[in-house]
Amino acid sequence: MKRTVLSGSFCMVMTVLPAASVQAAQATRASFGHTADGQDVEIVTLTNDRGLQARVMSYGASLQSLLVPDRNGKLADIVLGYDALQGYLDHRQYFGATVGRYANRIAHGKFTLDGKNYSLTLNDGPNSLHGGAKGLDMQVWKVTDVKQGPNASVTLEYVSPDGDQGYPGTLTVKATYTLSNDNELKIAYVATTDKPTIVNLSNHTYWNLAGEGSGTAMDQVLTIPGNAITTVDAQSIPDGHVVPVAGTPYDFRVGKPIGRDIGDGHSQQLLFGHGYDMNWVLSHKEIEARMVARVMDPHSGRVMSLWSSKPGLQFYSGNFLDGTTVGKDHHIYRQGDAFVLEPQLFPDTPNHPDFGSARLAPGETYRNTIVYRFGTDSGRNDIK
């Protein structure tokens, strides 16, 4: 059947394969290896009745692989990563990982909360990135629940102690991955704290809808309905300005190939990031979940739409994949071979009051639900 989705400037038509019957989606769990200190890392495989398969690893609560059919029904793994645990342990590249406590950057690793100054571990030059030197992506999470269909799911939990990487409060985080028979993968993040803290969680999967290891993803057609970006300095820290995308290489309001304008040397932002690595302003506060991005691969016909309620979307075009990473099936990953889309709060929000608030207090619940919907199109380069 054909599904038409209207959302703001989007009008999307994609083919969704009808289910022959309502069957239970399957979930299995197994060991994926051990860390150097002997912790067992599990991998849970979720499979729906159309063949879509997600593998979720307890190291970093990470999406390790995702098999999705193309327009001819051929399955391919569309996320970058490693075949074995050791690759993730040896090379911190955030492949598929849950990032936090604060996704993205905090300038100089410093912020003030309720009149008290805090200093975080630094791991990105003079700044703190994705939670610091040992963020949530480097922790072994506990698998607390595994369920079978009609929707298969796995829930993982990690308790980050007070002072971890410099963050105040004991933070209890849960990540639930759910796979439906409608080819929808949902990641629901929930967090609570025992004292005021800051939280911004997201997922850092590297996507290539043609299949990991297939080469460049720069011809894949991206749409982002954001009217502005938060500009950054040479350290990729927001400079406090919000600028319109109209007339710039950052305008993806009408879908275009990712690489079409990536070589525009007039853009200081592209020079700073060696490509796209910036936050799109979708709203100035959390609103009802809506489509925040759509990607279509013209070769395979795979379409992914991304839904979230968060105000920002960090888009990164795989600029620092430099040909030294050997991933799954011995594939070498090079610049532009994948992209990352992270729904989240704006980067460095704790140091920019105009950006909103990242504060979480005892008795409150932080949530970020990210939904990926997969289908195929008829092969046109874009559908508006």
Side-chain angles (χ1 to χ4, degrees):
M1 65 179 176
K2 295 225 183 239
R3 176 183 293 170
T4 301
V5 179
L6 295 173
S7 178
S9 61
F10 284 110
C11 177
M12 180 182 74
V13 180
M14 66 180 176
T15 302
V16 179
L17 301 176
S21 60
V22 178
Q23 302 177 19
Q26 302 297 310
T28 60
R29 60 195 292 184
S31 176
F32 196 57
H34 296 81
T35 62
D37 60 358
Q39 295 182 81
D40 182 43
V41 174
E42 291 192 80
I43 194 152
V44 177
T45 303
L46 311 176
T47 308
N48 72 11
D49 64 5
R50 301 178 191 179
L52 193 147
Q53 182 188 91
R55 284 162 53 90
V56 179
M57 178 176 60
S58 63
Y59 183 75
S62 305
L63 181 63
Q64 191 270 336
S65 72
L66 184 66
L67 299 178
V68 177
D70 66 8
R71 65 166 64 95
N72 298 313
K74 181 180 178 181
L75 293 169
D77 185 357
I78 63 170
V79 304
L80 274 60
Y82 299 100
D83 290 316
L85 175 62
Q86 198 60 47
Y88 296 92
L89 299 177
D90 291 344
H91 308 287
R92 188 188 191 188
Q93 293 177 282
Y94 307 104
F95 285 151
T98 294
V99 288
R101 293 187 184 191
Y102 197 94
N104 220 310
R105 293 173 174 86
I106 293 184
H108 309 295
K110 297 182 183 298
F111 67 94
T112 301
L113 183 66
D114 298 342
K116 184 175 180 179
N117 297 324
Y118 293 93
S119 295
L120 307 175
T121 57
L122 306 180
N123 62 322
D124 183 49
N127 306 308
S128 185
L129 174 66
H130 295 326
K134 193 173 182 181
L136 299 180
D137 63 293
M138 298 180 71
Q139 308 295 342
V140 178
W141 295 48
K142 180 181 180 181
V143 177
T144 60
D145 193 27
V146 177
K147 293 181 179 177
Q148 310 238 27
N151 299 324
S153 68
V154 54
T155 298
L156 308 98
E157 180 180 87
Y158 182 74
V159 179
S160 175
D162 184 17
D164 187 9
Q165 307 305 302
Y167 289 92
T170 299
L171 190 76
T172 300
V173 187
K174 292 184 179 181
T176 300
Y177 287 77
T178 303
L179 178 64
S180 77
N181 279 326
D182 291 329
N183 281 7
E184 178 180 284
L185 179 66
K186 178 170 68 175
I187 307 174
Y189 293 117
V190 177
T192 57
T193 184
D194 64 355
K195 68 170 64 171
T197 190
I198 60 170
V199 184
N200 182 34
L201 307 177
S202 196
N203 181 273
H204 204 280
T205 293
Y206 283 74
W207 303 96
N208 184 327
L209 297 190
E212 67 79 30
S214 64
T216 184
M218 294 299 98
D219 58 350
Q220 294 175 22
V221 178
L222 171 66
T223 311
I224 300 175
N227 294 320
I229 62 167
T230 51
T231 53
V232 298
D233 62 18
Q235 298 290 335
S236 295
I237 295 296
D239 57 16
H241 297 114
V242 175
V243 302
V245 299
T248 75
Y250 330 123
D251 192 349
F252 285 89
R253 292 174 297 175
V254 175
K256 66 180 180 181
I258 293 171
R260 176 179 293 174
D261 299 322
I262 202 169
D264 187 345
H266 296 96
S267 167
Q268 188 62 63
Q269 295 297 294
L270 289 176
L271 289 168
F272 281 155
H274 301 271
Y276 294 105
D277 189 9
M278 55 203 72
N279 169 66
W280 267 253
V281 177
L282 305 172
S283 61
H284 289 278
K285 62 180 181 180
E286 292 200 31
I287 59 176
E288 184 178 352
R290 74 287 194 210
M291 192 188 302
V292 299
R294 175 196 180 246
V295 190
M296 188 274 291
D297 173 42
H299 305 293
S300 68
R302 291 186 184 91
V303 175
M304 179 178 77
S305 62
L306 172 61
W307 294 66
S308 173
S309 64
K310 291 299 175 185
L313 178 70
Q314 187 79 12
F315 165 47
Y316 168 60
S317 52
N319 313 322
F320 296 99
L321 296 172
D322 61 3
T324 63
T325 297
V326 180
K328 297 172 184 174
D329 201 25
H330 303 287
H331 293 148
I332 294 175
Y333 298 149
R334 296 180 172 85
Q335 186 178 54
D337 280 358
F339 56 88
V340 179
L341 295 165
E342 302 165 84
Q344 56 185 260
L345 301 178
F346 298 173
D348 202 31
T349 284
N351 294 312
H352 294 273
D354 290 346
F355 286 179
S357 174
R359 187 178 190 272
L360 181 70
E364 298 175 340
T365 301
Y366 167 92
R367 300 181 190 276
N368 186 8
T369 299
I370 304 170
V371 178
Y372 308 94
R373 295 176 180 170
F374 298 95
T376 60
D377 78 348
S378 61
R380 289 175 285 172
N381 283 339
D382 194 20
I383 301 172
K384 303 180 181 65

